[in-house]
Amino acid sequence: VNNLTAIDQSTDTCTNNFATLNPLNSGTITFSDGNLTVVSGSDYHATTGTIGVQSGKWYFEVKINSSGSPQDNLIGITGDNTPVTGTTYDNNPSVIYTGSGTIDKDGTQVQSSLAGFSTGSIVGIALNMDDLEIEFYHNNSKQGSTQSISSFSGFYLPFYIGANARTASFNFGSPPYSITSGNSDGNGYGNFEYSVPSGYYALNTKNLAEFG
């Protein structure tokens, strides 16, 4: 084994698997680092996570790896009925934190003048499916108010939209980038840059069986 570092290793086991992004449900996006790092094409394309939820409280982080137009990175959640294979996407239902410092709900801007993304920004998402709420964090600072989530009969999935070769890395508990602090959830799972909000858990199959 050559040229492997700690971030090239996954904590997945035969009994516990963390979510990744789904290359089978994506537009023109390049995947690497075990389908946790994405590089977008020139047009807006999207992808979703591999674990969808209808209940429970969940936390994940996203590190912005590239500079450029901040609006070319959009991060949040969407319903499992969202088409992501073309240059456009149907963002209903969804809640999205955009790199230009806004929050959009179901295609309509509901918050503005928030922190925008820059290279190295870490975005935290706290998804509360029990109360149908979501909170966004930028470098551990909550952005805007808690947003309600539209009631939806399907599953909500982690959601990424990118354009113009923007790149981002998702951390569902098994990070594809170096962590300077190291924080796990209340069950002892995951390795996050910032403290996991109380009562929230990493998106993995062990937690899903208990809380999902």
Side-chain angles (χ1 to χ4, degrees):
V1 177
N2 294 309
N3 300 319
L4 288 179
T5 67
I7 61 172
D8 296 318
Q9 303 174 41
S10 173
T11 57
D12 279 6
T13 70
C14 57
T15 60
N16 192 21
N17 289 272
F18 287 87
T20 67
L21 296 173
N22 188 355
L24 300 179
N25 190 37
S26 71
T28 304
I29 291 177
T30 301
F31 294 81
S32 61
D33 294 332
N35 295 330
L36 292 172
T37 295
V38 287
V39 180
S40 60
S42 58
D43 293 317
Y44 283 93
H45 287 266
T47 188
T48 59
T50 55
I51 293 180
V53 291
Q54 290 181 312
S55 60
K57 298 179 181 179
W58 310 98
Y59 179 77
F60 61 97
E61 295 177 340
V62 185
K63 185 174 184 178
I64 305 302
N65 298 327
S66 65
S67 58
S69 298
Q71 67 269 20
D72 291 339
N73 276 308
L74 302 92
I75 297 162
I77 59 157
T78 193
D80 61 5
N81 63 338
T82 298
V84 298
T85 56
T87 57
T88 60
Y89 52 89
D90 179 4
N91 49 1
N92 185 15
S94 67
V95 187
I96 298 168
Y97 180 17
T98 77
S100 53
T102 66
I103 294 176
D104 297 345
K105 177 183 174 182
D106 300 341
T108 299
Q109 186 181 115
V110 293
Q111 294 267 286
S112 60
S113 303
L114 309 178
F117 302 167
S118 59
T119 301
S121 292
I122 293 182
V123 178
I125 296 90
L127 174 61
N128 180 349
M129 291 301 300
D130 294 335
D131 299 320
L132 292 179
E133 294 178 340
I134 190 170
E135 295 177 337
F136 294 98
Y137 297 82
H138 180 272
N139 294 337
N140 209 33
S141 176
K142 182 181 175 182
Q143 298 299 304
S145 58
T146 301
Q147 294 297 319
S148 64
I149 299 169
S150 297
S151 180
F152 175 62
S153 60
F155 292 84
Y156 271 101
L157 299 162
F159 193 34
Y160 173 78
I161 308 163
N164 298 316
R166 298 285 77 82
T167 177
S169 293
F170 278 67
N171 178 11
F172 296 106
S174 183
Y177 51 85
S178 296
I179 298 294
T180 61
S181 52
N183 297 277
S184 60
D185 66 19
N187 274 348
Y189 297 127
N191 182 21
F192 297 99
E193 183 66 40
Y194 298 112
S195 296
V196 179
S198 178
Y200 286 75
Y201 296 92
L203 269 172
N204 63 37
T205 52
K206 284 278 193 180
N207 285 335
L208 192 68
E210 184 173 355
F211 302 109

